[in-house]
Amino acid sequence: MATGSWPRLPQIPGGELAITSNEAFHLQSLPSRALVVGGGYIAVEFASIFNGVGVPTTLAYRGNRLLRGFDAEIAERLARRWPQGVDVRLNMDPLRLVKLGAQIEVLFRDDSVQNYGLVMFATGRRPITRDLGLEAAGVKLARTAR
């Protein structure tokens, strides 16, 4: 049985202003600029999608290498051959989001501030395991399960 998963969101002020991959396919219009936060395959994929439809896109990741957990050579090749239009910012993560009219102001760890029409968190997913009776069956769950 596949139970699915749910996006894991950073606990930062204004975080509720961002969307996740759950909402990305239900946008009524394209944003003027997009920020995708994360460094895994979902973040890389959505940064490429937004860029591919003409949206200037920034990909911000807290680590120093995209696709951690994947083959290092593939990740390094991606970093060298990233499509034009995507601004990749490593060792960078948002600290706060504030709604300013139609824009979202983002304060980053390095104290820089940028405005975006859309912020998307692609910062991991949690398995949905609640109410499956796993504990009664003797299955010990990790803290990240819900």
Side-chain angles (χ1 to χ4, degrees):
M1 169 179 16
T3 61
S5 62
W6 200 254
R8 186 178 329 167
L9 302 173
Q11 298 300 304
I12 62 171
E16 71 280 357
L17 298 172
I19 68 166
T20 68
S21 58
N22 287 3
E23 299 85 27
F25 291 110
H26 302 284
L27 297 175
Q28 298 298 310
S29 61
L30 293 174
S32 56
R33 286 181 69 206
L35 169 65
V36 178
V37 180
Y41 70 92
I42 292 175
V44 168
E45 187 174 54
F46 274 98
S48 295
I49 290 169
F50 286 126
N51 178 62
V53 296
V55 176
T57 303
T58 299
L59 177 64
Y61 179 52
R62 67 181 179 197
N64 61 4
R65 181 172 73 86
L66 297 175
L67 300 174
R68 187 187 71 205
F70 287 80
D71 181 88
E73 186 177 337
I74 291 172
E76 289 165 10
R77 177 173 274 186
L78 172 68
R80 285 192 311 268
R81 295 178 163 251
W82 192 266
Q84 279 189 330
V86 177
D87 178 19
V88 178
R89 296 186 178 197
L90 300 176
N91 300 302
M92 181 72 66
D93 53 340
L95 298 179
R96 180 188 73 222
L97 279 58
V98 175
K99 184 80 169 157
L100 294 177
Q103 297 288 301
I104 300 171
E105 179 185 82
V106 180
L107 169 66
F108 289 97
R109 180 179 9 158
D110 70 350
D111 291 327
S112 65
V113 176
Q114 295 289 320
N115 292 332
Y116 299 93
L118 176 129
V119 175
M120 178 180 162
F121 288 135
T123 50
R125 297 182 72 86
R126 287 190 175 98
I128 299 174
T129 58
R130 188 181 314 149
D131 300 326
L132 292 179
L134 295 175
E135 295 87 353
V139 176
K140 185 174 179 178
L141 299 176
R143 284 184 335 144
T144 59
R146 65 185 245 161

